[in-house]
Structure formats: C-alpha cells, structure tokens
C-alpha cells in the first residue's frame, strides 16, 4: 500500500509542476495555451483548426510530464492525427519547436549509466527528428527534473524560471504569421 501512495504523490507533483510552468507564461500576451485534456475531442484533433492556430504562431511548444520515457497518450494521438498531416506544410515550416518536460527523477537518473540509462537528449530524440523532418527549428529542451524528490520545491522554482526565460527568448525572436 505504501508504494501506491508514493506513486500518487509523485504523479500529483508532476501535474502541479506542469500547472506551475503554464501559470508562469499564460499571462504573456504572445502566448496561447491549448490543453488537449481540456479541449473537446472534435477540436483537439481538427486539422483545419490546428492549421490556423499554428499558422499564426511563431513557435510550437510541447509541454508535458514524462511518463514511461514518453509523452502522455493524448499528445501522441495529436502527433499521429494532426502533426503528421501538418508536418510538411507552411503552417510549421521554419518555426521553432520546443519540448518542455517534467520528471519525477533527479537529473543524475538521466545520464548514461544512471538509473534510467539514457540522457534526456536521447529520450527526446524522436521530437527532434520530427521537428527536423517537418522543417522546424529544434530548440534545446527545458527539463524540470526531480519532482518526486525531497528537493521538489526548489526544482519547481528553477524549472519555472528556466521555462519562463526560454519562452521569453522565443517571443523575442521574429514572429511568423499569415494563413496559408
């Protein structure tokens, strides 16, 4: 039973950390947040809607808690059903793609020889490959490590700061607009 309660705490911490990241940038005028879990299914996977949204954006950010070394299932579904179609269109070409993730484990777990055996760059390589395939500009990921550790509070604060700085730097870059 103890293992079960620890799992719930860690999952909750990942969710609250992702909320903290979103809260740090949601008031920025240039930022629009679309949460697949809060959208109606007919909108979440509507290619025409996403084509318009992304056409008007200067960058695309995938923000999620890392579950089993991957994204949550709704993001994977969105990639399969929407991003696959948009990948070779002017809607995404030349735009920045940033991945921002939170982890339960500490930084040292994501090293060669660490507990998870792989670096975060290795685990996020499919996103980098997708960005390059789509003609996008890959950005160095923002990773908030250690949400399931005793230092979670400090790690959340550092992650929020790093994320906010990265989003501000993306906003400062030239804006791409126009429908296609």
């Amino acid at each position: 039973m103890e293992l079960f309660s620890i799992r719930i705490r860690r999952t909750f911490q990942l969710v609250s950390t992702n909320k903290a990241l979103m809260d740090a940038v949601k008031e920025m005028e240039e930022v629009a947040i679309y949460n697949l879990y809060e959208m109606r299914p007919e909108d979440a996977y509507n290619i025409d809607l996403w084509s318009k949204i992304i056409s008007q954006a200067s960058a695309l950010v995938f923000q999620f808690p890392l579950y089993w070394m991957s994204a949550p299932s709704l993001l994977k579904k969105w990639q399969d059903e929407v991003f696959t179609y948009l990948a070779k269109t002017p809607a995404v070409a030349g735009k920045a793609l940033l991945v921002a993730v939170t982890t339960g484990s500490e930084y040292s777990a994501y090293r060669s020889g660490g507990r998870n055996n792989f670096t975060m760059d290795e685990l996020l390589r499919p996103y980098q490959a997708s960005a390059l395939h789509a003609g996008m500009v890959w950005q160095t990921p923002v990773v908030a490590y250690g949400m399931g550790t005793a230092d979670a509070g400090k790690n959340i604060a550092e992650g929020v700061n790093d994320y906010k700085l990265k989003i501000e730097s993306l906003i400062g870059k030239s804006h791409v607009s126009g429908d296609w």
Side-chain angles (χ1 to χ4, degrees):
M1 192 56 121
E2 184 63 26
L3 181 60
F4 184 73
S5 65
I6 290 172
R7 184 71 185 142
I8 289 174
R9 181 181 57 79
R10 292 180 95 192
T11 300
F12 175 76
Q13 193 68 42
L14 287 173
V15 170
S16 63
T17 302
N18 278 277
K19 182 181 180 322
L21 293 178
M22 282 192 292
D23 287 349
V25 300
K26 73 180 181 184
E27 299 301 323
M28 293 180 185
E29 185 177 327
E30 299 87 350
V31 172
I33 296 174
Y34 299 92
N35 185 333
L36 293 175
Y37 287 90
E38 295 175 356
M39 296 179 78
R40 297 181 331 197
E42 60 269 20
D43 291 337
Y45 306 104
N46 181 317
I47 294 169
D48 292 331
L49 174 64
W50 282 106
S51 177
K52 290 176 187 168
I53 290 169
I54 295 172
S55 289
Q56 296 171 2
S58 59
L60 182 60
V61 178
F62 294 158
Q63 182 203 315
F64 56 90
L66 196 68
Y67 289 128
W68 291 103
M69 309 307 159
S70 188
S73 61
L74 287 186
L75 178 55
K76 177 61 174 136
K77 180 177 177 169
W78 184 88
Q79 291 171 295
D80 291 345
E81 294 184 18
V82 177
F83 193 70
T84 297
Y85 175 77
L86 297 176
K88 288 293 190 177
T89 68
V92 300
K95 296 186 180 183
L97 177 63
L98 171 66
V99 172
V101 298
T102 57
T103 71
S105 298
E106 68 285 351
Y107 174 82
S108 63
Y110 294 95
R111 303 288 105 211
S112 179
R115 188 173 58 254
N116 294 321
N117 295 311
F118 297 96
T119 67
M120 192 55 66
D121 285 340
E122 291 170 321
L123 293 172
L124 297 177
R125 191 76 66 217
Y127 297 96
Q128 182 178 13
S130 295
L132 297 175
H133 175 75
M136 300 181 81
V137 180
W138 176 249
Q139 302 294 302
T140 300
V142 173
V143 183
Y145 293 98
M147 298 307 117
T149 68
D151 292 329
K154 180 183 82 119
N155 297 341
I156 291 169
E158 288 175 6
V160 164
N161 186 57
D162 291 347
Y163 188 54
K164 191 172 181 180
L165 289 173
K166 184 64 176 187
I167 296 299
E168 287 171 345
S169 76
L170 285 174
I171 291 170
K173 294 182 179 176
S174 64
H175 295 283
V176 177
S177 63
D179 291 333
W180 57 281

